[in-house]
Amino acid sequence: MNWQPLWSPMSLLVSLIILSGLHSPLGESNSKKAEDTPKLIELRGRVVDLLTELRQSYPVEPPRKPKSVLAFKTINGDLFILLETRTSVALFLDPRLHKKDLVIHGRTFPKSKVFEPTSYRTMKDGRLHDLYYWCDICSIKSLSPEDCACCQEPVILTEVPIMGNSRYKLPPQFSESVQP
């Protein structure tokens, strides 16, 4: 009769590594990683130049003219440095957006004030509006103010009120100030 082990050497080794990781410092660092993951948040405010905002409160004078760093200033006065991505490129390229009251969704990164916008809308006359760029020739929506990817003609900044039956709902903290 041939004796067969119940556990193969490899499966036994993998099991021991997994079990030892649950009680070791390595296992503890894995549980801390949940605290180190980006958090999804919503902010309301405006896009601002970070240096200009800092100069209003602090004696900040760089030795030479720095490249502009954009930040998002919330209605509470908090500043978040904006991360430029394909989704947020319009915030960097279209200065008209800096004059608008925005509601943006995105994520913040642990131990930093860096914000990665994933979507943004405008608040106009107490109502939430979708914001996009429209090509009249091709009937294409875009997130970027750059010329249409299809016909290479200019696009139009478009704001459309979000209707009450839309899949997008206004967050509870803003529901009191918005008329249905």
Side-chain angles (χ1 to χ4, degrees):
M1 180 174 188
N2 287 341
W3 180 76
Q4 294 287 329
L6 185 59
W7 294 86
S8 71
M10 183 56 96
S11 65
L12 184 60
L13 180 62
V14 169
S15 298
L16 286 174
I17 290 172
I18 291 171
L19 289 174
S20 67
L22 295 176
H23 300 290
S24 71
L26 180 63
E28 291 172 14
S29 68
N30 286 340
S31 66
K32 287 182 182 177
K33 285 189 179 185
E35 298 169 4
D36 293 337
T37 58
K39 290 183 175 67
L40 296 174
I41 64 169
E42 176 184 87
L43 302 172
R44 182 172 176 188
R46 291 189 175 208
V47 176
V48 296
D49 178 73
L50 182 61
L51 186 57
T52 302
E53 285 298 314
L54 291 176
R55 280 183 180 151
Q56 290 177 6
S57 301
Y58 308 102
V60 178
E61 289 302 323
R64 61 183 184 280
K65 183 175 168 87
K67 185 178 177 185
S68 181
V69 175
L70 291 183
F72 193 78
K73 185 174 183 178
T74 68
I75 56 176
N76 298 330
D78 294 330
L79 288 170
F80 290 86
I81 297 172
L82 290 173
L83 186 62
E84 186 174 355
T85 63
R86 287 182 61 218
T87 307
S88 67
V89 70
L91 300 173
F92 290 84
L93 297 179
D94 192 345
R96 295 175 293 178
L97 299 183
H98 301 185
K99 297 175 184 160
K100 297 186 180 291
D101 186 16
L102 300 172
V103 176
I104 60 176
H105 294 91
R107 54 188 195 154
T108 59
F109 299 94
K111 301 176 185 168
S112 78
K113 290 286 249 180
V114 175
F115 183 75
E116 178 187 33
T118 55
S119 69
Y120 42 92
R121 296 183 173 79
T122 58
M123 284 294 276
K124 225 169 132 179
D125 301 324
R127 298 200 59 202
L128 200 59
H129 290 65
D130 264 332
L131 178 71
Y132 55 87
Y133 296 89
W134 180 255
C135 176
D136 276 337
I137 298 168
C138 304
S139 297
I140 294 176
K141 274 187 186 181
S142 172
L143 295 174
S144 172
E146 298 171 314
D147 290 342
C148 176
C150 180
C151 69
Q152 301 302 308
E153 291 296 320
V155 293
I156 301 164
L157 177 61
T158 306
E159 294 177 79
V160 179
I162 295 176
M163 306 308 289
N165 61 359
S166 172
R167 65 185 173 105
Y168 301 109
K169 299 294 181 196
L170 192 64
Q173 63 265 37
F174 300 126
S175 61
E176 295 173 5
S177 64
V178 175
Q179 300 166 2

